[in-house]
Amino acid sequence: MLTFDREDLLFQLFKVANVDDILAAERYAHLDETTVHGILDAAEQLAVDFFEPIARKADEEEPTIVDGKVQLIPEAQGAIDAYIESGFMAAGFEQDIDGSDLPETVMQAAFFILATANVAYTGYGLLTTAAGRLLAKFASDEQKKDYLLPMVAGRFFATMCLSEPHAGSSLADIRTTATPNDDGSYAISGNKMWISSGDHELSENIVHLVMAKIPGGPAGVKGISLFIVPKYRLDADGNPGETNDVTLAGLNHKMGYRGITNCAMNFGDNGQCIGYLVGQEHKGLSYMFHMMNEARIFVGVGATALGQAGYQASLNYARERPQGRHPDAKGADSNQVAIIEHADIRRLLLAQKAAVEPAFALGLYCAKLVDITRSSDDQSKIDEANLLLEMLTPITKSWPSEFCLESNKHALQVLGGAGYTRDYPIERYYRDNRLNPIHEGTHGIQGLDFLGRKSRMLDGTGLQLLIEKIKASIDLAKQTDASKEMAGQLETALTTFEAVSSHLIKQLEKDPRAALANATLYLDLGGHIVMAWMHFRIVIATATVSSNEDFVKGKWQSARYFFNRELVRSKQWSETLLASESSAHDMQDSWF
Amino acid sequence: MLTFDREDLLFQLFKVANVDDILAAERYAHLDETTVHGILDAAEQLAVDFFEPIARKADEEEPTIVDGKVQLIPEAQGAIDAYIESGFMAAGFEQDIDGSDLPETVMQAAFFILATANVAYTGYGLLTTAAGRLLAKFASDEQKKDYLLPMVAGRFFATMCLSEPHAGSSLADIRTTATPNDDGSYAISGNKMWISSGDHELSENIVHLVMAKIPGGPAGVKGISLFIVPKYRLDADGNPGETNDVTLAGLNHKMGYRGITNCAMNFGDNGQCIGYLVGQEHKGLSYMFHMMNEARIFVGVGATALGQAGYQASLNYARERPQGRHPDAKGADSNQVAIIEHADIRRLLLAQKAAVEPAFALGLYCAKLVDITRSSDDQSKIDEANLLLEMLTPITKSWPSEFCLESNKHALQVLGGAGYTRDYPIERYYRDNRLNPIHEGTHGIQGLDFLGRKSRMLDGTGLQLLIEKIKASIDLAKQTDASKEMAGQLETALTTFEAVSSHLIKQLEKDPRAALANATLYLDLGGHIVMAWMHFRIVIATATVSSNEDFVKGKWQSARYFFNRELVRSKQWSETLLASESSAHDMQDSWF
């Protein structure tokens, strides 16, 4: 079963995101349109042959511990091996370390395909990519040789160990310690929680990137350092040797994302855990933040992919399932119609389409910004891309996590009772997607970031840049009759958003608690405006499509639905924000 | 772990719903306040001792088929036996058939308690109650003796067999046949789908109420008749004897509600299935509709109970879990605060409180209407109660199913990663609750009922009655300073709702497809207005509470939140409806 729409994906990548701009950069001289098509072919093949066929089983038979070792379904190893053989582990690294250096835009498009098929199984590779990129940037040459190169080769996998049982969102409070040994290494001791891919037998070794505090260092986040802590220490030849006192304390039993292990890990229970400092002492958090933007794009695109898969499955069902009749043709002697004929089913489908399309456009837009920072030779463009990326990251992470989850809810509703069973994949998508508003910074924390940090960044120049970009699209949309009215709608919403922003920024100075109490709503408001902008980018790009009139009409209708049913919400949200509505802020513990 | 708030439940039952009015009726002379407290005690005991402790296990170990028989967890039988022994099977039946004849208001309050603990396990009893009430009304004396009395005694359980694999919402298209035998019985043949409690070993016999068509009868719903089809035929003594060719075709593997079996059933695979006509030929659907209103109240209250359980669990967690600091006190040397201190967590909690409270108030309000129809000696009051019940039923079923599901989403978010695991019950509540917008008429079908049927019922007198009732509450709220402003808000919303209603009713005449395309939104609009009204009923009732100031303040704050954050949505929804927004209606299959 194909879980995505190839025509649509190519349109998004080549016509909306214009990946050609990136392929033209010198850095990507080893790639052209044909090689990109080949990469997407490989992703599709991997999705169809390996990832999708075992997604249900991987969900139903969650990882267990047998004789102290993690046991996955037997098909897992083959799927992960195929991922590596298809080149997706090497894809995210530069050529000088044996990577094939794909642009992030192409990476995200390929990831999107795989995530529609089996989002949980993409995690093993992606975590290794993310950790590896951090090492590529900050690790010593020796560390790169020992740990990074085997990761690029797919021999070692990696994890990020940030959270602890008592410290999830609040990294300032981690307690894991790293005490210097005489040989320059560190003795690691502590407990980590929510470690995805924390233990398994899929790779020769697992390279944990562990956040820990060196005793005597600064309090809070300023005292966090980053360490390489392998599951197995390396022998003289660089192969995994003796164990490193890293133990699996338990597996978390999750609602979804069950194909990937999620672990409680103990480091140094027996005082025998060795770690190696990455970069400088106390700089750990800044290293981690270096890859945070990219990781958050992956979360958003993953949420969007689940939205897409649900849309695809519910659309197929709605076209095939006969049930009921039109309200003006109720006679039982007439044939039943396919449920896609019912307006409320079309609403449920269109709501999904109108959420998934701009969310994916934003994911690729942000990926392209990453590519610009990596490949442009114009520093002002790099600075601009970085700034825009900072502004958009909380939205690209959060909006799909919230609204493509809503899409999955709609998809399930299209199928009714059937959707509620495991005979169809939608209930799984819905369960998988529920993770996305939680990890990599909760929805609420993204709101605090967007309002508390980003809106005021560099004296508001980031916000101004974002607004200018949107205005430019509005001006373009005004030139086409079909989008003139929508352009007016977005212009009004944007003007109000500017007023809301200055109101909140002023309030932040006077009463930060009261202002931040509504940060999530401000994030949603910004998100809806950005998504309306993305709808513009999509319909404007349809001018280049001549072959498929239905496809183009669908994009316009999707935009119309979004403007008429979703963007309109921005008015009430703005009023709520401008009024500094404070019922939650005023609520007292004892009143609950 | 207590999954509900006893003080709050008593307030809702005695102060908001004023169950005393019902207890005063002659029919309920066998009950008083003390006996009602005793019934609630029994429900709480059953919840705490039997239902809640096995809820997780019943979810994790879903029913299986072993040697052709359904196998539940071993604890199931004890829990169901305790339900019967506590008197809850007899509670829903009149005294002349050995029931204890509880008012529906008290039934719903007790059900609410049980459903917060283990909603799936309430199904076995409730289905038997619902089917039994239908038999009490329409079955012959002999049928009552043979089947109903053993149901009241808890020896036989019962099911409703409506849907078929090809006919879920569209009952007009069922194909199961009932061919007259010479002895007055019928030969039943057909396949039924989505049969909750369709097979199990919990009771001596299972009495299926099967919808089927007698060959030669009218087409569509006018040709549906209702049959008693036992799993085991009765011997001369009325005990279960030989099998009746009713076979379990399979169990559905559901996302939630896993404690109760959901079955595909075959009737008469070997031509040996006998059924007994209930009442008259071709009247089956009207009999079924007789119990539909009550069944739909149960769905709404069940959804609300899940909302309540999630609220309770997330509130407990938020009070106990330290994490992070206030935005103006970020120093890492300070202690972390309990997360309930964070405004966004308070928002997530308050949103739940503001949804669950009015939803429960509406459930009890509707139950009381049922009680009035059963116990009043004033025909005009009975007629009014029936009419109001018709109007409110789509809302009392749908609104909690949609918005208390949203509450569970919020509850999970309060716990973050922990909420996503089975270590806490919230992900289960969320999965369970996802069924409620589907069964007993989907959300979309309730919308069609509310707009297409109810809004025009008896020339609009039903709608007018509902509006008058709300206006009376507004007038009352205007008299109190604290609620004056909210009264104005609701008055405005209600006036707009009236305009929307006449707009849509006119459009229904001219273009039913276009009008009904927005029926779901109209239902949500009506739902929000009714919930605002319920908030009024709650805050007005707090005038009778003197002992707990925090409790009262909490009710007011809950109402304030709802008016400021939810009722405000009615403005945009009304605009959308008045504009006859038609993007979904206009969408074409080929454009998807």
Side-chain angles (χ1 to χ4, degrees):
Chain A
M1 192 188 63
L2 209 55
T3 42
F4 70 103
D5 182 320
R6 177 72 177 249
E7 179 188 9
D8 193 48
L9 182 122
L10 294 176
F11 169 74
Q12 286 265 12
L13 185 59
F14 288 102
K15 304 297 188 184
V16 185
N18 286 312
V19 71
D20 290 323
D21 300 344
I22 297 299
L23 297 178
E26 201 185 319
R27 174 167 175 165
Y28 299 115
H30 60 296
L31 298 166
D32 60 18
E33 260 201 47
T34 311
T35 48
V36 170
H37 281 282
I39 291 155
L40 300 178
D41 285 339
E44 183 172 332
Q45 204 66 39
L46 181 60
V48 169
D49 291 348
F50 289 93
F51 272 41
E52 197 277 331
I54 62 172
R56 176 173 170 173
K57 186 171 178 184
D59 174 69
E60 289 188 340
E61 302 176 21
E62 64 181 345
T64 52
I65 303 174
V66 179
D67 297 334
K69 286 185 190 299
V70 170
Q71 186 168 298
L72 304 175
I73 60 171
E75 297 89 340
Q77 187 76 54
I80 298 302
D81 288 348
Y83 179 92
I84 295 163
E85 283 157 25
S86 304
F88 290 106
M89 197 67 99
F93 298 102
E94 296 187 36
Q95 293 179 297
D96 63 352
I97 49 168
D98 304 339
S100 55
D101 199 21
L102 293 194
E104 198 71 0
T105 321
V106 179
M107 281 282 282
Q108 291 291 353
F111 163 63
F112 181 82
I113 294 174
L114 296 175
T116 61
N118 188 337
V119 73
Y121 273 30
T122 62
Y124 297 103
L126 287 184
L127 281 160
T128 305
T129 299
R133 284 173 169 182
L134 196 155
L135 293 182
K137 182 116 186 137
F138 300 107
S140 68
D141 288 342
E142 196 186 340
Q143 288 170 340
K144 286 183 195 170
K145 180 177 71 61
D146 288 348
Y147 297 101
L148 177 57
L149 292 184
M151 283 161 61
V152 178
R155 289 176 50 214
F156 295 3
F157 287 2
T159 76
M160 303 285 188
C161 300
L162 285 70
S163 295
E164 300 183 3
H166 70 289
S169 296
S170 183
L171 291 175
D173 297 283
I174 63 166
R175 293 177 192 149
T176 297
T177 56
T179 311
N181 294 323
D182 292 342
D183 64 355
S185 70
Y186 290 76
I188 308 293
S189 173
N191 310 311
K192 292 289 178 179
M193 187 61 170
W194 311 121
I195 310 307
S196 281
S197 187
D199 202 7
H200 54 74
E201 303 297 318
L202 295 168
S203 57
E204 294 176 34
N205 205 352
I206 301 176
V207 181
H208 301 286
L209 294 191
V210 176
M211 283 193 162
K213 291 188 167 182
I214 300 170
V221 293
K222 288 176 184 161
I224 295 176
S225 304
L226 188 70
F227 299 87
I228 292 171
V229 184
K231 176 179 179 183
Y232 300 109
R233 294 180 197 164
L234 303 188
D235 66 18
D237 301 323
N239 292 315
E242 56 184 336
T243 58
N244 189 32
D245 197 11
V246 177
T247 46
L248 174 64
L251 292 172
N252 291 310
H253 300 289
K254 292 170 294 175
M255 180 187 192
Y257 260 83
R258 285 195 181 142
I260 187 163
T261 55
N262 188 277
C263 312
M265 306 291 300
N266 292 348
F267 291 86
D269 265 0
N270 307 304
Q272 299 296 318
C273 181
I274 296 176
Y276 309 98
L277 181 69
V278 177
Q280 294 179 279
E281 289 184 353
H282 314 318
K283 299 276 187 193
L285 198 65
S286 68
Y287 301 156
M288 200 56 88
F289 266 108
H290 186 80
M291 46 128 285
M292 209 67 105
N293 284 343
E294 292 160 36
R296 288 178 174 172
I297 300 172
F298 274 108
V299 172
V301 173
T304 308
L306 287 164
Q308 170 70 36
Y311 170 60
Q312 209 63 46
S314 59
L315 178 60
N316 293 344
Y317 185 89
R319 283 177 166 151
E320 285 165 14
R321 171 76 176 175
Q323 191 81 174
R325 290 162 186 83
H326 285 295
D328 49 8
K330 280 281 196 192
D333 45 349
S334 61
N335 285 332
Q336 298 198 72
V337 298
I339 61 171
I340 199 170
E341 292 286 316
H342 301 308
D344 200 56
I345 298 292
R346 283 207 297 275
R347 176 183 67 84
L348 293 167
L349 293 169
L350 191 51
Q352 294 175 66
K353 183 173 159 71
V356 168
E357 288 173 347
F360 189 37
L362 181 63
L364 294 182
Y365 187 90
C366 288
K368 189 173 172 179
L369 293 175
V370 172
D371 288 330
I372 290 170
T373 67
R374 287 189 194 152
S375 67
S376 175
D377 44 19
D378 180 341
Q379 189 58 41
S380 70
K381 281 192 178 163
I382 293 176
D383 292 344
E384 184 185 288
N386 268 322
L387 190 55
L388 205 47
L389 194 56
E390 289 290 335
M391 292 306 302
L392 287 172
T393 297
I395 291 172
T396 202
K397 189 273 169 184
S398 282
W399 198 94
S401 299
E402 192 70 21
F403 294 97
C404 293
L405 172 66
E406 193 74 5
S407 292
N408 288 151
K409 192 180 84 174
H410 295 328
L412 201 156
Q413 192 71 15
V414 170
L415 274 72
Y420 197 65
T421 70
R422 291 202 297 274
D423 293 340
Y424 292 86
I426 296 173
E427 65 89 31
R428 170 161 47 82
Y429 301 150
Y430 185 49
R431 286 186 288 107
D432 286 350
N433 223 350
R434 186 63 190 84
L435 177 62
N436 287 315
I438 298 172
H439 65 168
E440 285 293 334
T442 65
H443 196 64
I445 282 173
Q446 300 296 330
L448 296 177
D449 180 45
F450 188 60
L451 176 58
R453 246 167 46 86
K454 302 300 171 65
S455 77
R456 297 186 289 184
M457 204 175 172
L458 301 179
D459 284 328
T461 50
L463 187 61
Q464 215 41 55
L465 175 62
L466 174 62
I467 288 168
E468 276 161 28
K469 290 281 171 192
I470 299 173
K471 280 186 177 159
S473 267
I474 291 174
D475 289 342
L476 216 56
K478 276 184 183 169
Q479 294 167 20
T480 308
D481 277 346
S483 49
K484 210 173 262 178
E485 195 187 328
M486 286 194 279
Q489 287 174 268
L490 184 53
E491 195 162 39
T492 306
L494 188 63
T495 305
T496 314
F497 175 69
E498 290 187 70
V500 169
S501 300
S502 23
H503 170 77
L504 286 174
I505 290 166
K506 269 183 220 136
Q507 197 188 13
L508 270 177
E509 302 300 325
K510 282 193 305 191
D511 188 351
R513 288 196 198 188
L516 291 170
N518 287 335
T520 308
L521 188 62
Y522 179 66
L523 175 69
D524 289 343
L525 173 64
H528 262 49
I529 285 170
V530 165
M531 290 301 154
W533 170 38
M534 289 296 134
H535 269 295
F536 270 165
R537 289 179 49 83
I538 291 169
V539 294
I540 290 165
T542 60
T544 63
V545 178
S546 57
S547 56
N548 188 342
E549 207 180 316
D550 283 336
F551 180 88
V552 174
K553 284 184 175 161
K555 295 297 177 202
W556 279 97
Q557 199 67 8
S558 174
R560 246 170 241 132
Y561 177 90
F562 188 86
F563 275 71
N564 292 349
R565 292 295 183 108
E566 288 293 333
L567 184 61
V568 286
R569 301 172 73 179
S570 67
K571 195 174 158 194
Q572 178 236 306
W573 291 347
S574 296
E575 285 169 10
T576 301
L577 290 165
L578 286 169
S580 300
E581 202 286 320
S582 63
S583 46
H585 178 63
D586 298 340
M587 184 72 184
Q588 301 296 311
D589 181 349
S590 59
W591 301 353
F592 278 109
Chain B
M1 191 187 65
L2 209 55
T3 43
F4 71 102
D5 182 321
R6 177 74 179 246
E7 179 187 10
D8 193 47
L9 183 122
L10 294 176
F11 169 73
Q12 286 266 12
L13 185 60
F14 287 102
K15 303 297 187 183
V16 184
N18 285 313
V19 70
D20 290 324
D21 300 345
I22 297 299
L23 297 178
E26 199 185 321
R27 174 167 177 166
Y28 299 115
H30 59 297
L31 298 167
D32 59 19
E33 260 200 50
T34 311
T35 48
V36 170
H37 280 283
I39 291 155
L40 300 178
D41 285 341
E44 182 172 332
Q45 203 67 38
L46 180 60
V48 170
D49 290 349
F50 289 93
F51 272 40
E52 197 277 331
I54 63 172
R56 177 173 171 172
K57 186 172 179 183
D59 174 69
E60 289 187 342
E61 302 176 19
E62 64 182 343
T64 52
I65 303 175
V66 178
D67 298 333
K69 287 186 189 299
V70 170
Q71 186 169 298
L72 304 175
I73 60 170
E75 297 88 340
Q77 187 76 54
I80 298 302
D81 287 349
Y83 178 93
I84 296 163
E85 282 157 26
S86 304
F88 290 106
M89 196 69 98
F93 297 102
E94 297 187 35
Q95 293 179 298
D96 63 353
I97 49 170
D98 303 338
S100 55
D101 199 22
L102 293 194
E104 198 70 359
T105 321
V106 178
M107 280 282 281
Q108 291 291 352
F111 163 64
F112 181 82
I113 293 173
L114 296 175
T116 61
N118 188 338
V119 73
Y121 273 29
T122 61
Y124 297 103
L126 287 184
L127 280 160
T128 305
T129 300
R133 284 173 171 182
L134 196 155
L135 293 181
K137 181 119 187 135
F138 300 108
S140 69
D141 287 344
E142 196 187 341
Q143 288 170 340
K144 286 183 195 171
K145 179 178 71 62
D146 288 348
Y147 298 101
L148 178 56
L149 292 184
M151 283 161 62
V152 177
R155 289 176 50 215
F156 294 2
F157 286 2
T159 77
M160 303 286 189
C161 299
L162 286 69
S163 296
E164 299 183 3
H166 71 289
S169 296
S170 182
L171 291 175
D173 297 283
I174 62 167
R175 292 179 192 147
T176 297
T177 57
T179 311
N181 294 323
D182 292 340
D183 64 355
S185 70
Y186 290 77
I188 308 293
S189 173
N191 309 312
K192 292 288 179 181
M193 188 61 171
W194 311 122
I195 310 307
S196 280
S197 186
D199 203 8
H200 54 73
E201 304 295 320
L202 294 168
S203 56
E204 293 176 33
N205 204 352
I206 302 176
V207 181
H208 300 288
L209 294 192
V210 176
M211 283 193 162
K213 290 187 167 182
I214 299 169
V221 293
K222 289 176 184 160
I224 294 176
S225 303
L226 188 70
F227 299 87
I228 291 171
V229 184
K231 177 179 178 181
Y232 300 108
R233 294 180 197 164
L234 302 188
D235 65 18
D237 301 322
N239 291 317
E242 56 183 335
T243 59
N244 188 31
D245 197 12
V246 177
T247 46
L248 174 64
L251 293 172
N252 291 309
H253 300 289
K254 291 169 295 174
M255 182 188 191
Y257 259 84
R258 286 197 180 139
I260 187 163
T261 56
N262 188 275
C263 312
M265 306 290 300
N266 292 349
F267 291 87
D269 266 359
N270 307 304
Q272 300 295 317
C273 181
I274 294 176
Y276 309 98
L277 181 69
V278 177
Q280 294 179 279
E281 290 184 355
H282 314 317
K283 299 274 188 196
L285 198 65
S286 68
Y287 301 157
M288 201 56 89
F289 265 108
H290 186 81
M291 47 128 284
M292 210 67 105
N293 284 343
E294 292 160 34
R296 288 178 174 172
I297 300 172
F298 273 108
V299 172
V301 172
T304 308
L306 287 165
Q308 170 71 36
Y311 169 60
Q312 209 64 45
S314 58
L315 178 59
N316 292 344
Y317 186 89
R319 283 177 166 153
E320 285 164 14
R321 171 76 176 175
Q323 193 80 175
R325 291 162 185 82
H326 285 295
D328 49 8
K330 280 281 197 193
D333 45 350
S334 60
N335 284 331
Q336 298 198 72
V337 299
I339 61 171
I340 199 170
E341 292 287 316
H342 301 309
D344 200 56
I345 298 290
R346 283 206 298 273
R347 177 183 66 85
L348 292 168
L349 293 168
L350 191 51
Q352 296 176 64
K353 182 172 159 72
V356 167
E357 288 172 348
F360 189 37
L362 181 62
L364 293 181
Y365 187 90
C366 288
K368 188 174 173 180
L369 293 175
V370 172
D371 288 330
I372 291 170
T373 67
R374 287 190 194 150
S375 66
S376 175
D377 43 20
D378 179 341
Q379 189 57 40
S380 70
K381 280 193 177 161
I382 293 175
D383 292 344
E384 182 184 289
N386 269 323
L387 189 56
L388 205 46
L389 194 56
E390 289 292 334
M391 293 305 301
L392 288 172
T393 298
I395 291 172
T396 201
K397 190 272 170 186
S398 283
W399 198 94
S401 299
E402 192 70 21
F403 294 96
C404 292
L405 172 65
E406 193 74 5
S407 292
N408 288 151
K409 193 180 83 173
H410 295 329
L412 202 155
Q413 192 70 15
V414 170
L415 274 72
Y420 198 65
T421 71
R422 292 202 296 273
D423 293 341
Y424 292 87
I426 296 173
E427 65 88 33
R428 169 162 49 82
Y429 302 149
Y430 186 48
R431 286 186 288 108
D432 286 350
N433 223 349
R434 186 61 190 85
L435 177 62
N436 288 314
I438 298 172
H439 66 168
E440 285 292 336
T442 64
H443 197 62
I445 281 174
Q446 300 297 331
L448 295 176
D449 179 45
F450 188 59
L451 176 58
R453 247 168 45 87
K454 302 298 173 63
S455 77
R456 296 186 290 185
M457 203 175 172
L458 303 179
D459 285 329
T461 49
L463 188 61
Q464 216 40 56
L465 174 63
L466 174 61
I467 288 168
E468 278 161 27
K469 290 281 171 192
I470 299 174
K471 280 186 177 160
S473 266
I474 292 174
D475 289 343
L476 216 54
K478 277 183 182 169
Q479 295 167 19
T480 308
D481 276 346
S483 49
K484 210 174 261 179
E485 195 187 328
M486 288 195 278
Q489 286 174 267
L490 184 53
E491 194 162 41
T492 305
L494 187 64
T495 306
T496 314
F497 175 69
E498 290 188 71
V500 169
S501 299
S502 26
H503 170 77
L504 286 173
I505 289 166
K506 270 183 219 137
Q507 196 187 15
L508 269 177
E509 301 300 325
K510 283 194 304 189
D511 188 351
R513 287 195 199 188
L516 291 171
N518 286 336
T520 308
L521 189 62
Y522 179 65
L523 175 69
D524 289 343
L525 174 64
H528 263 49
I529 284 170
V530 165
M531 289 303 153
W533 170 37
M534 289 296 134
H535 269 296
F536 270 165
R537 290 178 49 84
I538 292 168
V539 292
I540 289 165
T542 59
T544 63
V545 178
S546 56
S547 57
N548 187 341
E549 206 180 315
D550 283 335
F551 180 87
V552 173
K553 283 184 176 163
K555 296 296 178 204
W556 278 96
Q557 198 68 6
S558 175
R560 246 171 239 131
Y561 177 90
F562 189 86
F563 275 70
N564 290 350
R565 292 295 183 109
E566 288 294 332
L567 183 62
V568 286
R569 301 173 73 178
S570 67
K571 194 174 159 194
Q572 178 236 306
W573 291 348
S574 296
E575 285 169 11
T576 301
L577 290 165
L578 286 169
S580 300
E581 202 286 321
S582 64
S583 45
H585 179 62
D586 298 339
M587 183 71 182
Q588 302 296 310
D589 181 349
S590 59
W591 301 353
F592 279 109

